[in-house]
Amino acid sequence: MTSWMDDAQRAVRKVLAPETAAGKTLRAGKDAARTFRDGVWPRTPEPEPVREGPGLADYAEWLAEQPPLEPLPTSVDAAFVVVIETAGDPDDAARERERVTIASVEDQGGASARVLTVPSGTPMRDVLAGATEDFVLFLRAGSVLRPLALEQIAKQYRVDPVLRVVAFDSDTLDAEGGRTAPRFRPEWSPEMMLGANYLGRAFAIRVDLARDVPSAAVDDHGVWRLLLAGEFGDETVDLIPHVLLSEPEGSTPPVRAADAAMVAAVLSARGERAEAEVVDGVVRVRFQPAEWPSVSIVIPTRHSRANLERLLPSLATTDYPAFDVTVVDNGGESAENDDWYAAIGSGLPFRHVWWTEDPFNYSRVNTVTARSTQGDVLVFLNDDTEIVDPGWLREMVGLLSRDGIGTVGYQHRTADGRVQHGGVMIGPGGFAANLFAGMRPDEDSLMGPVAWYRDSLAVTAACVAIRRPHFEEVGGFDERFQLTGSDVVLGLDQVIRGRRNAVIPFDAVRHFESLTRGAHAPRADSFASYWRYHPWIVGGDPYISPNVSRLSAVPRFAAADDPSPLELALAGLGRPFVSDAQRSTISEDATALLPIASISAAEVATVRETHASIAGRREVRTVNWLLPGFDLPFFGGVNTALRIADKLHREHGVANRFFVNGHPNDEFYASAIAAAFPSLADSEVHNYYGTDEGLAAIPPADAAIATFWLTARDVAKLPGDTRKFYLVQDYEPSFYPASTMFAMTEQTYRLGLYGICNTRSMHDIYAGGYEGTATYFTPAADRGIFHPEGRGERAPGDPVTIFAYARDHFRNCWELVFAALSEIKRRHGDGVRIVAAGAKYLPPSADFIDLGLLDYRATGRLYRGTDIGVTMQISRHPSYLPVELMASGVAMVVPDSPWFRWLFAGGENARTTMMTVEEVVAGIDELIRDEQLRRRIATAGVETIDRAHSDWDAALDGIYDFLCDPETNAIPTEAPTWIAP
């Protein structure tokens, strides 16, 4: 007869199998609950096999997979004028083409549209004189607007009323009316627009903007001028990734010399001096800054004479007024090698330095050497490259001089003339790859011709230019990358700061990839890459359409059964991929977790007796941290635990040991910890099992700290640690209804552990409600990210921007927030724009901008563009979000809760409200209508953060002393000795 424990173990295996999501109970990590005493783990699942060349090759097959557009549940308000360009003297065939286009407009359903047919070349100003519509489309006769196209555009504008241009995808109609040759567009790409009108006619633009551009006519030349002259930005251009337009075959003319002259003229009118000519069917633009900055070129090498003998003479042909070259060599210093450099470097402003650090770190080599140079612009160049155009450096630096540019690189060709690098894309293999690798430069693709300029998330450091201040601002190349990946991060760091990375498509610098060090990427670089690329692995590459497979550097159609880049990345790192979908009930979770959370009264008594037997101060030199499994180290409770460990190490020399109760992948967790806090990179990181044997295997430390309710039981049972602590960061019983789960969670507050409480509220609960011995700290904002400097002023008539944290965990009361914001949008329409971030899951019907998961470093810039923030946490901790929003100058709408009054003063630094839809709507509505109140609350919020929440180190100052002597340094409480569930 089996025992209840055997039955429970079988239940655990069933409920916590990899395909379930019961681990969501653990909140800090989806897999933490799968650790228990039998130590049996599922093998890392292999990714699903993909067809040869991931994705699909056939457009018809891809179309068949696409769900049809559905009519919107509510009517749209935007009005359109559709201008149809016709031949000057139309024949019957031309008239039929007009009729086809007009019919497609008339078939748009609920959207209001007026049709104008005008001869090609008619000035836009004349065509639109007196027009009162919101948007205009310029279509060629014979084009077909797909059903519901205008409704989709109107919906996009309703969601984001600052939009000036709404672009979309298109395809081509062949002679038989079949649909071929789709064009899938990236997000707004200003540099791509220099060389060709990559949007073609697949866009709608505000009528007033089209009417105000001088010399713009209704033809290809004029439409391009309109788009180029607009000086649009990411915030005013949006893309609908659906094919909403089909155009006649052969309707797009080639780029002509007149187009190049137009590009140069438009740039000149904007104050940008440039020369332009047509090269290989693309306008090639060479910017001419008023003054050419000095340039320092850095070339790392392992004394590869074959490479340098090809590169350096070619580099000597460079036509640039002021540059210098530094070769940094780790191939071994000798008199012979010095003599060789003296001979090969003649004719160049050249020096060489020897690098002796071991092991070799490509990032550090480049960063240290760059800091020994003086150039205003830094260019990093691999030794396995060759200069084939003397004007290469002028062209790079000229483009780099544009406002908003972070880095510039070239499309590289190999010895056989094929593309080696056309920009960096994130997705293939779950990481990054060189776009267009292996293609011919004259090929077309789903994303447009290979020969176009590209904006990209990054460019390869085989040849990259960056302004020195931008390089230093991000700390140079990230030295956590030994050999590969830091160039991608250099680009991503520019994107986070609102800059673009551009790829010049012309044959100027060739790259003979990996001739020096081979193609092997250290495994540590893969882990480092995962943590830095993660937001784009999950959320997508903005320069790669979601209609294009993210698994292939050669563009193919995205297939419905393609594995996600996240799945591939985790498989490569040896970590199972588990869907976020909840498949278990709270009862099933409780049944599974009962044996894990079990502890006896005798064991609790031992904790209390041990603590009572230790008197006075004992210096802490080692700390055992017991963590649940986690996915991201940059947010929430896990980040705070690591932040405390970081401070203990930096200021007190504490050796931190991390024991993770999750999937046994020490590399994954060690790299995560190092990614968040580099000072912890040398800490011990191990998996542990919560069995008696597993806990006995953990070596004793001066202090052990639980970081989550399930690890509290484990800390209490540790046999060797004498002082035991509990980092309490929220009232976790409130995450569950009154139930077994509530009981198990609440019981952890009665284990006799010393409490380190996040906020006074948590302290009053732990020390007052449960009679624990505790201290507390008050959270702070990272002022390097969250600050009000650079906030833009709203112009009259601009919509009010509202930010909401869009996570569906029940403690965030997302249903309440969603309902309130939906009503606000209904009331104010174009007067507000609502931005949601945190998870990509909003329904298509939501009138919100859904940004999904963001890199935490990018959120500060987002918040500085926000007027009102809304958070409605129901637990006893308000989360860090309002602190960070207030620090960024955002007026907050928050719950009127006694637990949050250490931070919020209603009517002073926040608009507090009852947690009902009616009252939340009233609070937001008041701040929308009363700009002075909004400004006053925002200013007071910044002052609150400046005064009490601006320094994390200061906030955590008392924790070390509490660890050394918790009885003496405990903070008393005046809170009641009971607490309501």
Side-chain angles (χ1 to χ4, degrees), residues 13 83 106 153 276 282 499 506 545 598 638 651 727:
R13 293 188 181 92
V83 176
E106 292 174 343
I153 297 167
V282 180
R499 304 183 192 117
F506 305 105
S545 167
S598 179
V638 169
E651 296 188 3
L727 178 58

Side-chain angles (χ1 to χ4, degrees), residues 594-732:
L594 275 169
I596 297 175
S598 179
I599 188 170
S600 69
E603 289 170 317
V604 174
T606 298
V607 172
R608 298 183 184 279
E609 290 165 4
T610 302
H611 284 175
S613 68
I614 304 171
R617 183 180 181 91
R618 293 190 178 186
E619 295 299 319
V620 171
R621 292 289 173 260
T622 56
V623 172
N624 286 338
W625 293 86
L626 270 61
L627 299 167
F630 59 90
D631 291 323
L632 289 173
F634 307 111
F635 305 100
V638 169
N639 184 263
T640 304
L642 298 178
R643 186 182 294 277
I644 295 171
D646 168 73
K647 180 178 175 69
L648 295 176
H649 176 69
R650 286 186 293 105
E651 296 188 3
H652 303 285
V654 170
N656 295 284
R657 299 193 295 240
F658 299 98
F659 297 89
V660 183
N661 190 358
H663 182 269
N665 189 330
D666 294 352
E667 282 182 295
F668 182 84
Y669 292 115
S671 67
I673 292 167
F677 292 95
S679 75
L680 301 176
D682 295 330
S683 302
E684 290 184 44
V685 179
H686 304 285
N687 173 250
Y688 82 92
Y689 298 96
T691 62
D692 290 343
E693 296 79 9
L695 295 175
I698 295 177
D702 297 321
I705 304 177
T707 57
F708 181 62
W709 74 268
L710 275 171
T711 63
R713 167 267 192 188
D714 294 336
V715 165
K717 290 172 72 73
L718 282 176
D721 299 75
T722 52
R723 277 180 169 164
K724 302 179 179 186
F725 299 82
Y726 189 175
L727 178 58
V728 182
Q729 303 202 63
D730 208 334
Y731 187 56
E732 291 177 316

Side-chain angles (χ1 to χ4, degrees), residues 77-117:
D77 299 325
F80 297 86
V81 55
V82 179
V83 176
I84 302 174
E85 178 188 354
T86 66
D89 186 15
D91 54 18
D92 289 343
R95 292 189 184 93
E96 177 58 27
R97 288 194 293 272
E98 292 176 32
R99 284 193 291 270
V100 167
T101 304
I102 292 171
S104 75
V105 177
E106 292 174 343
D107 193 33
Q108 287 300 303
S112 171
R114 178 167 63 98
V115 176
L116 296 175
T117 58

Side-chain angles (χ1 to χ4, degrees), residues 386-437:
E386 180 182 14
I387 308 303
V388 295
D389 182 345
W392 73 284
L393 193 52
R394 286 183 184 267
E395 195 163 6
M396 283 186 84
V397 174
L399 186 54
L400 188 69
S401 70
R402 301 198 85 197
D403 286 343
I405 292 292
T407 68
V408 174
Y410 273 102
Q411 182 186 102
H412 296 310
R413 316 281 172 83
T414 57
D416 62 0
R418 290 186 177 268
V419 175
Q420 183 269 331
H421 164 267
V424 171
M425 65 177 293
I426 289 182
F431 293 97
N434 291 329
L435 183 63
F436 300 141

Side-chain angles (χ1 to χ4, degrees), residues 59-60 62-63 140 142-146 168-174 177-185 202 242-252 446 557:
Y59 185 39
W62 179 83
L63 279 174
R140 302 180 181 93
S143 298
V144 174
L145 270 181
R146 291 291 146 196
F168 40 87
D169 293 333
S170 62
D171 61 14
T172 300
L173 297 172
D174 62 23
R179 297 174 63 180
T180 64
R183 180 75 78 229
F184 297 137
R185 295 176 168 87
H242 292 286
V243 177
L244 301 184
L245 178 69
S246 297
E247 299 191 281
E249 198 169 39
S251 59
T252 304
L446 299 176
F557 298 100

Side-chain angles (χ1 to χ4, degrees), residues 96-240:
E96 177 58 27
R97 288 194 293 272
E98 292 176 32
R99 284 193 291 270
V100 167
T101 304
I102 292 171
S104 75
V105 177
E106 292 174 343
D107 193 33
Q108 287 300 303
S112 171
R114 178 167 63 98
V115 176
L116 296 175
T117 58
V118 301
S120 180
T122 304
M124 291 181 186
R125 181 171 291 174
D126 295 346
V127 173
L128 299 174
T132 59
E133 289 84 2
D134 299 292
F135 283 91
V136 57
L137 289 81
F138 298 100
L139 304 184
R140 302 180 181 93
S143 298
V144 174
L145 270 181
R146 291 291 146 196
L148 304 177
L150 296 184
E151 192 176 73
Q152 293 293 315
I153 297 167
K155 164 65 185 300
Q156 208 79 356
Y157 176 64
R158 183 174 66 195
V159 168
D160 193 355
V162 305
L163 293 179
R164 299 296 177 261
V165 175
V166 179
F168 40 87
D169 293 333
S170 62
D171 61 14
T172 300
L173 297 172
D174 62 23
E176 288 75 37
R179 297 174 63 180
T180 64
R183 180 75 78 229
F184 297 137
R185 295 176 168 87
E187 298 291 344
W188 179 240
S189 300
E191 280 60 54
M192 187 181 287
M193 190 60 72
L194 294 172
N197 175 11
Y198 76 94
L199 294 184
R201 304 297 181 91
F203 68 93
I205 186 170
R206 292 295 300 267
V207 165
D208 55 340
L209 297 178
R211 187 167 44 213
D212 292 345
V213 176
S215 306
V218 182
D219 56 21
D220 292 295
H221 188 81
V223 169
W224 188 357
R225 176 187 288 272
L226 171 65
L227 292 168
L228 192 62
E231 299 189 53
F232 303 112
D234 292 343
E235 70 283 356
T236 59
V237 181
D238 205 357
L239 176 76
I240 300 173

